[in-house]
Amino acid sequence: HGPTGEAWVLPRPPRRIVSTYLAADEILTMLVPLDRVVGVSFFADDPAISSCAGVYPPSVPRLRTQVETILALEPDLVCVAGFSEPNALRLMIGAGLPVLRWSRFDTFPDILANIRLIGAAVGADARGGALAGTVQATLADLSVRLAGTPPVRVLYYDPPSFTVGRDTLIDEILTRAGGTNVAAGAGIVGPGQLGIEAVFGLDPEAIVIPRYVGAAPPIETLRATPLWRDVPAVRAGRVYEAPGAFMGDVSHHAVEALSGLARLLHPEAFR
């Protein structure tokens, strides 16, 4: 259904699917044969943020939202996100392309809904339901394991100053992993920034830092900075690296970030 009430009916499961955002690239690898995907996002092969790097053949075009290129691929389904360029989206709709738009990705329920939606749109309802069920099962298992564990005061920090507060998927990951997001407690909503003085004031018991493929280890960066060496969590060795591709992921891989972080914060729950 379009924004003004118009509706499209897909006469058959799409055979020429175009994805313009990374989460759809990743989800589609689990739902359909790769030969049904004729275009993927520009970020699909970035090992720093992608969990499907190298999966799609080089012959599959890597796209942003170039309407002319997308039209030339003759897709029968185009997956777009809420942050996709509005003019490009209008042109695609005007050209009569079936567009599947995902606009919310701040919670695990959002992710589960998107998995099922893409599964329904590509004629893979059972696979979509199974993939969503796997994520739900992991969430349930972690809830049982971590019941009663004392929450750890955690700061998510991406140098030089990036953090996240409430109303974000990372905040939910920190909480479900048995932590308390100190940035959210400080009143930060969504992405934000923190200086070293603010970090001292928040006094986190643990710090979680994303590590990106090809970049210098962030823990070494902190340890090489005199002020950071004095942060109690750094002195106590409670600075944990998490794969950057997982911590920023809004597909089914986000639950892997959650599982890994829970094991770091509460190893006693997994013995």
Side-chain angles (χ1 to χ4, degrees), residues 76-263:
D76 47 13
L77 184 69
V78 183
C79 298
V80 301
F83 51 79
S84 298
E85 207 278 314
N87 287 332
L89 184 57
R90 280 193 288 269
L91 289 171
M92 284 188 278
I93 293 174
L97 296 181
V99 173
L100 183 67
R101 182 174 181 266
W102 182 36
S103 58
R104 295 190 61 84
F105 39 86
D106 299 323
T107 68
F108 276 102
D110 292 339
I111 291 173
L112 294 170
N114 191 47
I115 291 171
R116 292 191 176 99
L117 178 62
I118 293 179
V122 301
D125 302 71
R127 287 188 179 183
L131 182 57
T134 298
V135 174
Q136 286 180 304
T138 302
L139 294 176
D141 176 68
L142 290 172
S143 179
V144 171
R145 287 179 179 273
L146 298 173
T149 57
V152 177
R153 291 173 47 80
V154 183
L155 172 67
Y156 178 84
Y157 197 80
D158 192 350
S161 61
F162 180 79
T163 189
V164 288
R166 64 178 178 85
D167 299 340
T168 63
L169 183 61
I170 288 179
D171 178 57
E172 184 174 349
I173 287 173
L174 296 179
T175 303
R176 286 182 179 267
T180 298
N181 183 359
V182 296
I188 294 176
V189 179
Q193 292 188 320
L194 284 176
I196 181 62
E197 298 83 2
V199 173
F200 272 104
L202 294 175
D203 191 24
E205 297 173 277
I207 300 173
V208 176
I209 304 182
R211 180 172 183 176
Y212 301 104
V213 174
I219 290 179
E220 293 182 8
T221 302
L222 293 191
R223 288 172 178 163
T225 306
L227 281 176
W228 273 104
R229 287 200 299 265
D230 292 332
V231 173
V234 178
R235 289 205 312 267
R238 299 204 74 183
V239 179
Y240 303 122
E241 291 183 342
F246 284 174
M247 291 304 296
D249 210 311
V250 293
S251 74
H252 54 287
H253 290 292
V255 81
E256 298 174 47
L258 169 56
S259 296
L261 182 57
R263 289 177 180 273

Side-chain angles (χ1 to χ4, degrees), residues 12-143:
R12 66 189 65 83
R15 303 291 305 179
R16 298 186 61 79
I17 304 166
V18 165
S19 167
T20 63
Y21 66 100
L22 182 56
D25 299 339
E26 295 171 345
I27 292 169
L28 287 168
T29 64
M30 304 296 292
L31 301 184
V32 298
L34 295 185
D35 61 7
R36 288 175 57 186
V37 182
V38 297
V40 294
S41 80
F42 182 81
F43 300 103
D45 290 323
D46 185 343
I49 60 173
S50 173
S51 296
C52 63
V55 172
Y56 289 99
S59 58
V60 176
R62 271 56 175 172
L63 309 166
R64 294 187 186 271
T65 47
Q66 310 98 309
V67 179
E68 296 82 0
T69 303
I70 292 173
L71 286 171
L73 294 171
E74 300 181 339
D76 47 13
L77 184 69
V78 183
C79 298
V80 301
F83 51 79
S84 298
E85 207 278 314
N87 287 332
L89 184 57
R90 280 193 288 269
L91 289 171
M92 284 188 278
I93 293 174
L97 296 181
V99 173
L100 183 67
R101 182 174 181 266
W102 182 36
S103 58
R104 295 190 61 84
F105 39 86
D106 299 323
T107 68
F108 276 102
D110 292 339
I111 291 173
L112 294 170
N114 191 47
I115 291 171
R116 292 191 176 99
L117 178 62
I118 293 179
V122 301
D125 302 71
R127 287 188 179 183
L131 182 57
T134 298
V135 174
Q136 286 180 304
T138 302
L139 294 176
D141 176 68
L142 290 172
S143 179

